[in-house]
Structures are given as C-alpha cells and as structure tokens.
C-alpha cells in the first residue's frame, strides 16, 4: 500500500466523497485505513453492572484504500 500513517488523503467515493482527512491507522490485512473525523459511527454501550449507566460512543470506522486518493505524503 502506498498510503502511510500521517498522510493527507481525499475521499473519492462513498458517503464522505470530496472530504479531506489525515490517516491515523492502517489495517493491512483488510486493505483499510482509519481517517481522523471521517466515517464516524455511533456505538451504544450497555451497562456492565446494574448500578452503571450505558452511554453512546462515537468511533471512526475503516474505509477501503481504493476509496481514497493520496494528496500529501509525509516524509
């Protein structure tokens, strides 16, 4: 994969088409990347014990590398 951690990329297809972001993690075996503040999903967390409260957590989900275009490479 030509893309590395810290590179600036542009989303070229999908729900976030046309948006820019920075790669902060790569999943090599699935050919996917995690981009900061792009493709955010909400995850509802159940309480572990009876006195705990559940909460909603926002997490970034991976995007396949074929859906992004390299804009600026970090050295």
């Amino acid at each position: 994969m030509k893309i590395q951690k810290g590179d600036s990329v542009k989303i070229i297809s999908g729900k976030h088409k046309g948006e820019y972001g920075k790669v902060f993690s790569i999943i090599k075996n699935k050919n996917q990347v995690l981009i900061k503040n792009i493709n955010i999903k909400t995850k509802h967390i159940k309480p572990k014990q009876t006195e705990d409260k559940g909460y909603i957590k926002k997490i970034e989900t991976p995007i396949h590398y074929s859906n992004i275009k390299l804009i600026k490479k970090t050295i």
Side-chain angles (χ1 to χ4, degrees):
M1 233 193 300
K2 294 180 182 178
I3 296 161
Q4 295 178 346
K5 187 176 178 181
D7 290 349
S8 295
V9 294
K10 179 182 179 183
I11 313 300
I12 58 172
S13 68
K15 181 179 170 185
H16 298 281
K17 183 177 181 177
E19 295 183 24
Y20 295 87
K22 196 170 231 180
V23 176
F24 74 91
S25 181
I26 297 172
I27 306 167
K28 286 195 174 192
N29 58 345
K30 291 185 176 181
N31 292 327
Q32 293 180 331
V33 294
L34 287 166
I35 302 170
K36 195 77 173 166
N37 296 324
I38 301 288
N39 204 22
I40 295 177
K41 305 287 183 194
T42 56
K43 184 170 176 77
H44 297 263
I45 310 294
K46 285 186 174 183
K48 301 280 185 198
Q49 297 176 347
T50 56
E51 62 270 358
D52 290 345
K53 288 180 105 179
Y55 58 95
I56 297 172
K57 184 177 182 181
K58 296 191 181 224
I59 57 169
E60 285 111 355
T61 53
I63 297 176
H64 197 265
Y65 82 99
S66 66
N67 296 333
I68 60 175
K69 178 180 177 183
L70 183 62
I71 299 297
K72 186 177 177 187
K73 193 160 186 70
T74 57
I75 298 171

